[in-house]
Amino acid sequence: MASVQELGDALAGLTLVQAVELKAYLKDKYQIEPAAGGVMMAPQNNAGGGGGGGAEKAPEPTEFNVILDSFTDKVKTIKVVREITGQGLGEAKATVEGAPKPIKEGVDKKTAEDVKKKLEETGAKVTIKPAG
């Protein structure tokens, strides 16, 4: 078998056509594909159970639900809920009295924070949870 230095020199001397052929060969024969940046990566084999890979980071949520948990000033809270949701007086009153209740669902983080701030200004307790 060739030394690592010899292999490196051979790879560095490849033409573009040869490099493409090498890529196809490694993919077909060994399921090895280059990662971003041109580094060759071996396939992940999770069948063995155990192993050396670290846990993948879960994707950060992009949608959130704003939940009204409780309130101290019912009238102010109803006014803010009407403003936020566009509900009529009766609907907003039922929403507030039914706490804990979702006020906004599936909104981005900034919107969720804004809604929470408005409700907390009335003395309400609010929770933001990832949607889903």
Side-chain angles (χ1 to χ4, degrees), residues 77-100:
T77 305
I78 290 171
K79 285 181 182 179
V80 172
V81 167
R82 288 187 70 198
E83 174 189 327
I84 292 168
T85 63
Q87 293 177 337
L89 181 60
E91 287 177 297
K93 181 176 184 261
T95 298
V96 170
E97 290 175 343

Side-chain angles (χ1 to χ4, degrees), residues 44-123:
Q44 296 292 325
N45 184 358
N46 294 332
E56 286 188 30
K57 187 177 179 181
E60 191 167 322
T62 57
E63 292 187 345
F64 299 87
N65 296 336
V66 182
I67 313 296
L68 173 66
D69 295 320
S70 63
F71 58 90
T72 54
D73 188 328
K74 185 160 104 176
V75 173
K76 286 183 182 177
T77 305
I78 290 171
K79 285 181 182 179
V80 172
V81 167
R82 288 187 70 198
E83 174 189 327
I84 292 168
T85 63
Q87 293 177 337
L89 181 60
E91 287 177 297
K93 181 176 184 261
T95 298
V96 170
E97 290 175 343
K101 277 274 207 183
I103 301 300
K104 280 288 200 180
E105 296 181 296
V107 296
D108 63 72
K109 190 169 188 168
K110 183 180 179 339
T111 302
E113 293 290 341
D114 291 345
V115 169
K116 180 179 180 181
K117 182 180 176 190
K118 285 181 183 178
L119 287 166
E120 286 180 339
E121 287 172 355
T122 71

